[in-house]
Amino acid sequence: MTRLLRTLSSLHARAPGRTVGLASALILWLANPACLGYPPYWDGLVAVFHQAAWLHHHHLDLAGLVRDVPGYMAGGPRVYTTSIVPPLLALLAHVAPTPASFLVLCHLLTLAAAGATAGVWHLLLRERTASRLVWPGTLLLVLNPFFMAQSWSLHLEIALMLPSVLALLAFSRNRPPAAFGWLMLAWAVKVTALMHGIALAAGALWLARRNPRQLLWAALYLLPCALFVAFSAWESAHAFQPIAERWILPERLRLGWCWTQPWYLAYERTPDLLLLGTWSTVAGLIALFRWRGETAATPDRVPDTALV
């Protein structure tokens, strides 16, 4: 058994990221082929797909979305105002010949994004961990029940994870411009990417001890937080109605809010909390401890000195 695990680990560690991504997407689909016909579950249906349907029927009237319709808590379609996903879904619905084909296309794109996420995660493990951890580490992501369920569902979580892990990979390779670009794309998918920006900023501050230029990037990584606060303030003052009465700016800035709604956070925001915990932990480990050990002998591995 030990020899088998070592062989599998060695083969997996040498596999290109694109191969791992394609294999992961195929595994996720074979594990649940019926997922291609799944409709959006309730959270996606009343949020991102509600907004996409409104945009589809109103010719992508983004100004009217902010100006003329109520927010989420009033039953309105304006939920992810800053997200690029609802307009893209509206365009996809315009070109899809039937509603059934629209769902299939959405699921195929989600599975592709999930596979790409696994491929990038594999590259990150191959470059920054011991080779014996690459195989189990990749499988732990692909076979994670949360990850599998979100890969079969239609919402924003998988679309958010892909640019987020790409930002983390770029950060680990000491490529701040690329990390910042992927972070901003993640924020354009869902505002909760600001959590990932905070994690990257913390890592950049640590690296700034030896490279003061990292201070600039630490500030830029916090740009999603600034944009979130600025847009929340603007929307509360100018929009037809805030997205949610309990989410207007004063409430969002009160830490007590997190403790007054434990059931909401525990049951309805599980994917967000999972993302926050996963990427914040990994980014912190990379920045603070710079994992060491036996590494896979691959020509594209970046030396540890690249982090400083």
Side-chain angles (χ1 to χ4, degrees), residues 112-266:
T117 300
V120 177
W121 177 251
H122 167 81
L123 289 177
L124 181 63
L125 294 177
R126 193 174 68 183
E127 294 178 6
R128 290 297 164 195
T129 68
S131 60
R132 62 180 178 274
L133 300 178
V134 176
W135 175 66
T138 304
L139 288 180
L140 281 175
L141 173 66
V142 176
L143 301 181
N144 183 295
F146 284 109
F147 185 78
M148 297 181 76
Q150 288 297 322
S151 300
W152 301 329
S153 304
L154 296 178
H155 209 341
L156 297 177
E157 270 60 50
I158 296 299
L160 172 62
M161 288 183 73
L162 178 55
S164 297
V165 72
L166 281 167
L168 189 58
L169 179 64
F171 177 82
S172 74
R173 290 176 169 179
N174 194 29
R175 298 175 181 172
F180 176 72
W182 287 119
L183 174 64
M184 294 307 300
L185 179 59
W187 182 84
V189 171
K190 193 174 184 181
V191 295
T192 47
L194 62 89
M195 305 291 188
H196 313 150
I198 294 174
L200 293 180
L205 286 175
W206 178 265
L207 297 177
R209 297 179 308 150
R210 298 184 180 180
N211 184 0
R213 289 181 298 178
Q214 290 287 347
L215 290 174
L216 173 61
W217 292 110
L220 288 175
Y221 292 145
L222 295 177
L223 180 60
C225 296
L227 292 175
F228 169 72
V229 172
F231 183 81
S232 298
W234 177 88
E235 186 185 37
S236 297
H238 297 93
F240 177 82
Q241 183 187 52
I243 292 179
E245 287 79 354
R246 63 181 177 180
W247 288 354
I248 60 176
L249 183 62
E251 288 294 323
R252 293 184 183 189
L253 297 181
R254 281 171 44 191
L255 293 178
W257 178 85
C258 296
W259 301 105
T260 59
Q261 305 198 41
W263 298 113
Y264 176 80
L265 289 173

Side-chain angles (χ1 to χ4, degrees), residues 51 54 58 61-72 74-79 235 239-243:
Q51 183 171 325
W54 190 94
H58 292 81
D61 185 6
L62 297 174
L65 179 71
V66 176
R67 182 184 62 243
D68 302 330
V69 299
Y72 174 78
R78 195 180 74 255
V79 183
E235 186 185 37
F240 177 82
Q241 183 187 52
I243 292 179

